[in-house]
Amino acid sequence: MLSTDRAPILARDLGGAPLTTADVGAEYDGIDAALAASPAEAELFAVLRRWDALKRRVTAHLNRAELRFRQDTADAGVGSEAAAATALSAAAQSRDLAIKRRLLAHPDRAALERVFGSHVFALWQSDALAFEPALEDDVVRESALFNEYTQLLAGVTTTFEGETHSLKSLAGFAEDSDRDVRRAALTARWSVYEEHAPALDRIFDELVRCRAQMAAKLGYASFMDLAYKKLGRTDYGPGDVARFRDAIRSDIGPLAQRIVDAQGAALGVDAVMPWDEAVFDRLPPIAMPAGDGEVSRAFAAGFASLDPELGAFARLMFERDLLDLEARSSKAVGAFCTFFPDARMPYVFVCPTGTSSDALTLVHEMGHAFQDYSARDKELVEYVVPTAEAGEIHSMSMEFLMWPEYERFAGDDADRYRSQHLRTMLLTLPYLAAIDHFQELVYAQPDASADDRYAMWRWVEARYLPHRRSGDIPHLVRGGLWQRQRHVFGFPFYYIDYGLALCCALQFWTAARHDRAAALAAYIALCRRGGDGPFLQLVESAGLRSPFAPGALSDVARQAADFLGLQA
Ligand SMILES: [Zn+2]
């Protein structure tokens, strides 16, 4: 039986024992004392398992509180609970770091690595190299600056067609059928950025200097080196990523130009302007399963038709109402999958936008959820979910593996959805490279002026996005496009993770076109591994080529061009 009329289980009903700072502190004291007593091997393993159980409880507590907050942002009590859980988690993290340092230098480390694997030590080493107590004030400041950016952009308004609009509501015109409306709305949108550019420049400048200072305190030449440690990138470095960007430029760039040219021809315009970018094809939104038994059944049947294990998992999620897909006014925007390591179950949250991308968003998050579920019994919590670039492989690949099932939701429009999905993904790659290269330039010269940074953006834009135009929008002409990208402000150097994952997801797409069963088997095996190895090892074990290997992108680009009828 699938859910037809029941409401999603809200986080408060998901169980989980309450956790207090005092309880957690006492448990850490106990673990510290047990480690300090130089236990024999068997007891040492037991202490590690006790610590792992504590980390699961703290993570689950934080994830429940954050989910609850996003499910009902209007409830002030829930907001303060989430803040308390964040503080508890931050305190736990510094206790964790002390334990990690102790284990990294432990005389029995070899025995521990034999039992728990060496990858967790590499992850702990990265953590140990990314933080010192001397950075505490800088971390608080960095977070306050990012909050300032978020609040500034959430609060700004402008007048458009006689009505007051936020940046979010203006974005709703991006797919308007009237080109003049799209153009006027986008111009209004960027005039907001232009008006607030001094504040945005000041916030970003302070963030860059703050991060450069943290890197200097830890003895790094540049913040980029510290960022790689913070992201847990244990088996590749900036040189590899630079080669990947070059491959995007040479292997995807020409195809991106042909995609944009075809888009212009389809729209009947001389050139695709910034206000045309979101309009490929005006596809109707696919209904979301919330409260709709027929659509729920179609989704569950789609997963089941792909593979029995995927089908059983989807049924479990729908039956236990572990998806919140409703549109509610107090719900936060966005979509994510979260995991409760104590209950060993994932939970999917999607705030529907009413656009054609909602169904794909659900499939994406279900990919994350299936991976969490598949790896839920890993012995260490660190091994359940991999580092971010590997983690996005499961979600992005699921989007492509679901292709043959699209008729179930989209009927006669299925071909158009598939084509638009592939074109959108390919066009994303050069933008990801531009954002990454921009950050490398920014952190190489932390003392640069705001104007220097606009010039840096114009340089990367010319390099990776020659198919993009700025039209007559002054802030875009100046080089301000990057200011809309939250990752640049809040999650430095993270953005290329999507590109590395996408290179792998496109390989699953090509593999599934030749042998769907084999591709699915490799996908499921990869999900089961969770994060028990570093990125490149996970990729290799799934039979995929490393994104850093020559030809990894040119091969998928050729097949994509064939599929789209856009050969050179
Ligand atoms: Zn994702």
Side-chain angles (χ1 to χ4, degrees):
M1 269 297 292
L2 290 175
S3 160
T4 50
D5 50 7
R6 285 175 295 171
I9 300 179
L10 298 184
R12 64 175 165 274
D13 302 320
L14 280 169
L19 215 52
T20 67
T21 311
D23 292 341
V24 171
E27 183 62 4
Y28 273 110
D29 290 343
I31 292 165
D32 283 343
L35 278 175
S38 309
E41 245 178 47
E43 289 135 56
L44 181 60
F45 297 155
V47 176
L48 241 76
R49 294 194 174 101
R50 179 177 169 191
W51 176 41
D52 188 69
L54 178 60
K55 282 185 287 189
R56 283 176 193 265
R57 286 171 62 202
V58 170
T59 304
H61 176 71
L62 177 69
N63 289 354
R64 274 191 189 87
E66 281 183 346
L67 173 62
R68 203 174 304 183
F69 175 63
R70 296 213 199 174
Q71 288 185 316
D72 189 1
T73 54
D75 187 331
V78 170
S80 59
E81 256 176 49
T86 307
L88 187 151
S89 162
Q93 268 177 34
S94 45
R95 300 291 300 258
D96 287 337
L97 193 65
I99 297 173
K100 289 172 189 174
R101 289 199 160 124
R102 188 171 216 152
L103 292 171
L104 284 165
H106 202 279
D108 292 332
R109 175 170 164 172
L112 289 167
E113 286 195 35
R114 269 198 304 281
V115 173
F116 296 103
S118 57
H119 180 51
V120 79
F121 282 87
L123 291 171
W124 293 345
Q125 181 76 42
S126 267
D127 292 342
L129 292 171
F131 188 76
E132 286 292 342
L135 300 190
E136 257 165 41
D137 290 347
D138 302 292
V139 170
V140 171
R141 180 160 167 65
E142 183 188 26
S143 153
L145 284 162
F146 179 50
N147 287 344
E148 196 185 345
Y149 166 81
T150 306
Q151 279 161 357
L152 176 92
L153 292 189
V156 290
T157 55
T158 189
T159 307
F160 175 67
E161 294 188 329
E163 285 182 21
T164 304
H165 278 281
S166 64
L167 286 176
K168 197 177 117 200
S169 66
L170 278 176
F173 293 96
E175 295 182 30
D176 198 283
S177 56
D178 186 332
R179 195 180 194 207
D180 292 335
V181 170
R182 294 201 301 267
R183 181 181 186 159
L186 195 76
T187 305
R189 194 174 151 76
W190 281 106
S191 70
V192 173
Y193 283 92
E194 190 179 355
E195 184 188 337
H196 295 281
L200 292 168
D201 288 335
R202 195 253 315 146
I203 293 168
F204 191 57
D205 188 64
E206 289 182 30
L207 273 170
V208 170
R209 286 166 194 270
C210 173
R211 288 171 180 151
Q213 191 179 319
M214 283 194 259
K217 280 185 189 173
L218 295 187
Y220 291 101
S222 149
F223 172 72
M224 182 167 66
D225 300 328
L226 171 56
Y228 272 59
K229 298 281 180 247
K230 283 162 80 95
L231 290 164
R233 292 175 178 172
T234 58
D235 60 348
Y236 63 95
D240 298 301
V241 171
R243 273 206 321 282
F244 179 61
R245 291 192 310 245
D246 285 343
I248 289 177
R249 188 171 169 231
S250 59
D251 298 339
I252 303 293
L255 178 58
Q257 183 65 60
R258 295 199 295 280
I259 291 172
V260 169
D261 291 345
Q263 182 185 5
L267 293 175
V269 299
D270 289 343
V272 173
M273 302 307 286
W275 44 89
D276 300 320
E277 281 172 4
V279 192
F280 280 95
D281 196 350
R282 302 191 41 70
L283 290 171
I286 295 174
M288 291 286 279
D292 185 332
E294 204 179 311
V295 183
S296 292
R297 270 188 290 278
F299 270 88
F303 283 107
S305 160
L306 281 180
D307 176 86
E309 196 176 332
L310 273 168
F313 167 71
R315 219 165 34 246
L316 182 69
M317 293 291 284
F318 281 109
E319 276 171 5
R320 290 181 57 181
D321 296 311
L322 293 170
L323 303 107
D324 182 355
L325 312 172
E326 284 183 331
R328 291 191 305 276
S329 60
S330 60
K331 201 170 160 178
V333 295
F336 61 92
C337 169
T338 189
F339 181 66
F340 307 118
D342 53 352
R344 298 177 189 240
M345 279 307 287
Y347 188 98
V348 164
F349 173 104
V350 178
C351 188
T353 58
T355 65
S356 58
S357 61
D358 280 345
L360 214 50
T361 303
L362 170 59
V363 171
H364 177 104
E365 300 307 337
M366 283 292 278
H368 285 306
F370 179 69
Q371 185 273 302
D372 291 344
Y373 183 73
S374 306
R376 67 194 182 282
D377 291 327
K378 287 279 175 196
E379 190 164 26
L380 296 181
V381 70
E382 283 91 343
Y383 287 164
V384 176
V385 180
T387 42
E389 77 294 73
E392 291 300 333
I393 299 176
H394 315 111
S395 51
M396 288 178 153
S397 303
M398 182 63 92
E399 295 178 29
F400 285 106
L401 291 169
M402 196 52 137
W403 267 31
E405 305 301 323
Y406 250 64
E407 270 77 4
R408 291 175 194 274
F409 332 115
D412 293 345
D413 288 324
D415 274 337
R416 289 160 63 214
Y417 274 99
R418 288 187 278 260
S419 165
Q420 175 165 324
H421 175 224
L422 181 59
R423 283 181 290 164
T424 306
M425 290 290 119
L426 292 167
L427 285 177
T428 304
L429 281 166
Y431 178 68
L432 295 165
I435 290 283
D436 188 67
H437 201 154
F438 173 68
Q439 295 180 87
E440 190 174 317
L441 297 177
V442 164
Y443 289 100
Q445 290 182 60
D447 298 326
S449 69
D451 278 337
D452 292 337
R453 290 185 187 130
Y454 288 112
M456 288 171 189
W457 178 259
R458 291 197 301 274
W459 186 84
V460 298
E461 205 170 47
R463 184 175 172 85
Y464 297 99
L465 301 164
H467 54 276
R468 261 197 107 257
R469 288 164 188 260
S470 297
D472 54 1
I473 297 179
H475 202 60
L476 293 184
V477 174
R478 187 184 183 198
L481 184 73
W482 56 275
Q483 290 178 341
R484 70 174 184 185
Q485 201 59 59
R486 299 177 74 238
H487 299 75
V488 172
F489 286 79
F491 311 99
F493 291 98
Y494 180 104
Y495 213 49
I496 200 68
D497 283 348
Y498 294 111
L500 298 172
L502 185 49
C503 176
C504 298
L506 285 164
Q507 293 180 64
F508 270 122
W509 171 68
T510 59
R513 292 181 75 209
H514 295 114
D515 186 342
R516 182 175 155 174
L520 273 160
Y523 171 81
I524 291 171
L526 178 67
C527 289
R528 286 206 187 110
R529 283 201 63 180
D532 69 6
F535 174 59
L536 293 175
Q537 197 193 91
L538 292 171
V539 166
E540 195 192 341
S541 76
L544 304 171
R545 289 167 83 173
S546 157
F548 308 126
L553 272 176
S554 58
D555 213 39
V556 291
R558 198 165 40 248
Q559 297 204 43
D562 282 347
F563 178 84
L564 295 169
L566 293 173
Q567 299 89 340

